[in-house]
Amino acid sequence: MKITEKTGKFPVSGPDSGECNGSGGRSIFTLIELLIVIAIIAILASLLLPALNQAKNKVRAISCLNNQKTIGTAQAAYSGDFQEWIVPAAQSATSWADTSYEKSWWGTLGGLKGKSNYGVVLKMENGVIKAGGTFDCPSEKVPFGDVLKKEYKQAKYIMNVISGTAIAASATPNPNTNYARRLSCLKYVSRAVFAADSQPIAYNQVMTGNICFFSFRHGANDPRTSNTLLPVAAVGSCNVLYMDGHAAGMKSRQLMLGPSEGSQRAYALTSADPIYCGYDRTQGQVLYE
């Protein structure tokens, strides 16, 4: 390359050469190109967000299972302290009416009113459970609060009434609901339900006779608006804690197995046959207040 005769400089191209592209020599996005980039980002987001939500839901479900396993460990410790009695669902006939809740199963395990805490996290404020503890399922969006607003009055897990709710001395006991039982009544320990996810529309009473009170909230919202409706339409899973200490996500149909198609179809909880409910219901003694 030789020096030009007129300027004595090397020839150049660019902004000073008169070959400008109209933008100072810099390439820019046109409006169409910008819209295309935005559209691509939107498509990628639409593809990734469901996967991220699924991952979050999975983490919440696992956290819920861990809560239930902690509850199972607490129940085992309670049985160890009390001659192998299963913790009663309620040690008072009015446990769900009392604002202290120390005689409910979760209040007993949580050490309310100065009792021994069996390894769970339970804090209360003005008679309401504070969020974030062992009895708070992270998948459940309904908060603790006012039962009249269909918020959770008690734990977000509901216990199988098999271990008994106390009755007054003058009342007539029901063997299915008012008998305290020891671990010796367990015949199929891995099938014996101890507790499960609870619906807020059940007002979270500490007892249950069928799976209508269970919430199938993991993986999908439970579509029911009444605890009298069977969860056959629910596509989500309910986390269930068993007496052997394991917890698992169960579909509604998995909990409906039984000898016949009854109105509630909840033989995992109500069958007199231990092969379905796991417990020998002929054992136990009346639980009086």
Side-chain angles (χ1 to χ4, degrees), residues 51-211:
L52 290 174
N53 287 333
Q54 288 180 6
K56 288 181 180 178
N57 290 337
K58 186 67 174 178
V59 169
R60 293 189 188 107
I62 292 173
S63 179
C64 172
L65 289 172
N66 287 335
N67 281 348
Q68 291 191 4
K69 290 176 182 178
T70 299
I71 292 170
T73 300
Q75 146 54 33
Y78 176 92
S79 294
D81 280 354
F82 289 91
Q83 300 177 329
E84 296 197 337
W85 288 102
I86 301 170
V87 60
Q91 298 180 56
S92 168
T94 57
S95 288
W96 31 83
D98 298 336
T99 57
S100 57
Y101 301 119
E102 78 273 12
K103 293 185 178 181
S104 66
W105 67 273
W106 55 269
T108 298
L109 296 180
L112 294 183
K113 291 294 182 179
K115 295 180 180 179
S116 297
N117 183 297
Y118 286 94
V120 299
V121 177
L122 174 61
K123 295 181 180 180
M124 302 192 69
E125 187 174 286
N126 299 323
V128 178
I129 299 176
K130 295 186 71 174
T134 305
F135 299 98
D136 182 11
C137 173
S139 294
E140 178 55 72
K141 298 177 182 178
V142 177
F144 293 108
D146 187 350
V147 65
L148 297 178
K149 297 179 181 178
K150 294 189 175 180
E151 296 173 337
Y152 280 89
K153 184 179 181 181
Q154 299 192 38
K156 292 185 181 179
Y157 304 112
I158 192 166
M159 182 181 167
N160 187 354
V161 74
I162 190 69
S163 67
T165 57
I167 59 169
S170 59
T172 301
N174 181 335
N176 287 326
T177 58
N178 302 129
Y179 275 44
R181 292 181 169 89
R182 283 190 167 102
L183 296 178
S184 58
C185 78
L186 291 165
K187 299 304 176 185
Y188 299 91
V189 65
S190 63
R191 301 181 190 177
V193 173
F194 176 73
D197 291 326
S198 171
Q199 293 189 67
I201 53 179
Y203 301 115
N204 202 49
Q205 296 180 41
V206 295
M207 52 182 271
T208 180
N210 57 67
I211 60 172

Side-chain angles (χ1 to χ4, degrees), residues 26-47:
R26 296 187 303 270
S27 151
I28 61 171
F29 284 115
T30 66
L31 178 59
I32 293 177
E33 289 171 332
L34 185 59
L35 291 175
I36 291 173
V37 170
I38 293 173
I40 292 173
I41 293 173
I43 292 171
L44 290 174
S46 67
L47 294 174

